[in-house]
Amino acid sequence: MNNRIRGINLKEGPLKGYYLHALWLRERVTDEINLDTNNLQRLYDPSLIDIDIFILDYKINNQLLYVRFSDKTESNYNIYNLHKEIIGKDFIPKKIFWSASIDLKMLQFDSSFLNNDEKLLINLLEKFYEYGFVIINNIEAKEKEIIKFAERIGPIIETNYGRIFDVISKKKANNLAYTSLGLSVHTDNPYRKPVPGIQILHCITNEAKGGDTALVDGYSVCEYLRKNNKCYFDTLTSTEVLFKFIDKDIILENKGKIIELDSNGDFKQIRLNGRSDYVPLLDKDRLTKYYKARKFFFKLCNSSDFQIKFRLKKSTLMMFDNHRLLHGRTKFFPNTGLRHLQGCYLGHDAAEGKLRLLKSLSN
Ligand code: NM2
Ligand code: OGA
Ligand code: ZN
């Protein structure tokens, strides 16, 4: 039969212009038989719905779309909720790329949000997703305070460096971060699967000479490269590199591109870490091209056009997107004073998930 209703085309309202496929609507039914009203999960497998399902009847009444299907299921849908889903509305703000002239003031927060100030936490997470980092002042210069901060957002990702780690100069360090050497701007842990999305560093004391901080918006640099040197950009987005970490307890390896794009061509993740990258032995022309591209990217990342430099002060904490920003420090002189940071990693799912929840509760 050809006059069966296989989908709905509403003539007015927010859903005007969208063809609402019958099966697409059917797998979104909200009645108690089909949906667990407590956890909003489906109580049936949508793959079992008849491919030829059709609509017997539908009506629109204010915000509600009522539909009865050929399998006798009926449901009401809030048309605004359907619209939000169709346009892919999300509470995670769009990224704002920045360069060295960025105003740090708007990214500075006070620790008071730790005392259940949800509005301030929303604001902090929004700024974090826009700019890729935030700085929080007045986090007591005490060991483990970082845990309180991190867990206000979500669960810490424990690694072989521990749940939290001490960035301090020590002998026989398994990582150059635990020496007093300078670290050129990098992303952490490119050798891990997956690479932790967020890094937090809390300054407990910074009395040594040197040890200043640098941050770069890696995506801003990538954007510049895409516009001004497409050939290098293509090389860095296509060459698979091996990243490695080795100590007495573990050998970590992961492969990836220095600039990884998503399926839309947007920036997904940067891996830049001169201590741990091993490009394969490609043919000589490709290899030469790769080395030129990496050199140029590194130069841009270190240029004063893109890089901001500041000194992390005692009781200050910074939280940054380890897929987007690069961070580094100048060398310091341990015999001139103590320098001690504590760090940990979080996932983007935790931070995005927290922001979505807080925003949906506040709306
Ligand atoms: N630490 C500080 O990714 C890296 O190897 C950078 C990470 C050891 C957790 C250092
Ligand atoms: C790190 C790191 C920066 C610093 O621990 O990964 O980059 O300021 N540290 O010590
Ligand atoms: Zn680092």
Side-chain angles (χ1 to χ4, degrees):
M1 263 190 277
N2 283 334
N3 53 0
R4 288 181 164 175
I5 307 169
R6 302 285 179 187
I8 302 176
N9 248 323
L10 294 173
K11 298 280 173 287
E12 292 167 26
L15 295 175
K16 185 179 162 195
Y18 298 108
Y19 178 80
L20 305 172
H21 188 292
L23 209 158
W24 189 89
L25 284 170
R26 173 60 182 79
E27 63 177 14
R28 281 160 181 71
V29 293
T30 56
D31 63 288
E32 288 173 5
I33 298 169
N34 288 294
L35 197 71
D36 185 315
T37 48
N38 175 47
N39 57 33
L40 302 181
Q41 297 195 345
R42 285 189 195 110
L43 292 163
Y44 60 97
D45 199 305
S47 301
L48 296 175
I49 301 172
D50 180 7
I51 288 286
D52 292 319
I53 193 150
F54 58 94
I55 291 164
L56 293 174
D57 190 12
Y58 71 92
K59 267 197 302 265
I60 185 117
N61 191 351
N62 290 328
Q63 305 200 353
L64 288 185
L65 169 66
Y66 163 83
V67 184
R68 192 159 62 93
F69 295 90
S70 52
D71 67 357
K72 306 292 180 310
T73 312
E74 336 173 58
S75 187
N76 278 302
Y77 304 84
N78 179 309
I79 56 174
Y80 291 97
N81 288 347
L82 287 182
H83 183 248
K84 276 187 204 154
E85 182 186 345
I86 292 167
I87 62 170
K89 182 174 164 42
D90 196 3
F91 288 118
I92 311 305
K94 263 186 72 165
K95 294 184 172 60
I96 300 172
F97 294 168
W98 52 268
S99 57
S101 58
I102 187 176
D103 176 10
L104 279 182
K105 259 193 248 113
M106 62 179 171
L107 302 174
Q108 306 251 4
F109 290 82
D110 192 78
S111 62
S112 57
F113 84 94
L114 285 170
N115 312 324
N116 292 326
D117 186 338
E118 312 280 72
K119 269 219 182 89
L120 205 59
L121 184 53
I122 290 179
N123 192 228
L124 181 149
L125 288 170
E126 286 185 329
K127 285 282 172 292
F128 172 76
Y129 276 107
E130 281 170 351
Y131 295 95
F133 74 110
V134 283
I135 293 169
I136 296 94
N137 300 307
N138 299 317
I139 303 274
E140 206 182 332
K142 213 167 79 181
E143 294 199 14
K144 298 194 179 153
E145 283 292 293
I146 188 174
I147 297 176
K148 270 194 220 158
F149 172 85
E151 289 188 338
R152 185 80 175 84
I153 296 168
I156 291 173
I157 297 177
E158 184 162 355
T159 69
N160 59 309
Y161 298 115
R163 197 153 101 85
I164 62 173
F165 48 82
D166 291 288
V167 181
I168 199 158
S169 175
K170 50 190 168 199
K171 291 209 173 73
K172 295 231 169 127
N174 69 343
N175 194 302
L176 292 179
Y178 301 149
T179 69
S180 59
L181 294 174
L183 303 172
S184 59
V185 287
H186 63 279
T187 59
D188 264 28
N189 292 208
Y191 39 74
R192 206 177 289 287
K193 287 180 194 174
V195 177
I198 299 171
Q199 180 167 187
I200 303 176
L201 288 173
H202 174 217
C203 180
I204 293 177
T205 181
N206 197 358
E207 279 164 5
K209 196 172 151 270
D212 291 343
T213 299
L215 289 178
V216 180
D217 183 358
Y219 288 174
S220 196
V221 179
C222 291
E223 190 58 28
Y224 178 91
L225 195 66
R226 169 146 62 192
K227 284 200 187 117
N228 294 284
N229 206 315
K230 186 70 168 61
C231 176
Y232 286 168
F233 181 81
D234 291 343
T235 300
L236 296 182
T237 52
S238 64
T239 311
E240 281 263 315
V241 178
L242 177 69
F243 294 88
K244 268 201 261 193
F245 171 84
I246 303 176
D247 75 359
K248 65 176 188 14
D249 298 318
I250 201 163
I251 301 178
L252 294 167
E253 292 192 0
N254 191 15
K255 283 184 193 154
K257 287 121 189 165
I258 289 190
I259 304 172
E260 193 171 310
L261 303 177
D262 68 14
S263 52
N264 294 322
D266 290 329
F267 307 129
K268 186 173 179 194
Q269 183 179 343
I270 298 177
R271 296 178 182 84
L272 189 76
N273 190 314
R275 285 166 274 148
S276 63
D277 63 328
Y278 296 83
V279 67
L281 185 63
L282 304 169
D283 75 61
K284 80 173 186 319
D285 291 342
R286 274 184 70 197
L287 212 44
T288 305
K289 216 161 143 191
Y290 168 79
Y291 284 130
K292 283 185 180 166
R294 187 184 64 180
K295 190 184 240 342
F296 190 62
F297 186 58
F298 182 84
K299 188 175 149 201
L300 289 176
C301 291
N302 283 286
S303 96
S304 55
D305 291 339
F306 287 107
Q307 205 172 92
I308 54 167
K309 291 190 174 128
F310 58 96
R311 189 167 176 84
L312 252 194
K313 290 200 205 87
K314 178 179 172 154
S315 306
T316 304
L317 176 152
M318 64 180 187
M319 165 173 162
F320 51 94
D321 184 340
N322 187 50
H323 290 174
R324 168 178 173 184
L325 259 63
L326 313 171
H327 64 285
R329 68 153 187 248
T330 58
K331 75 170 178 219
F332 61 95
F333 301 89
N335 55 354
T336 60
L338 187 62
R339 184 181 195 275
H340 181 197
L341 313 182
Q342 283 196 315
C344 70
Y345 301 115
L346 288 182
H348 280 301
D349 52 352
E352 286 186 1
K354 185 76 174 189
L355 179 54
R356 276 190 207 102
L357 180 82
L358 293 177
K359 286 283 278 185
S360 61
L361 292 177
S362 78
N363 267 358

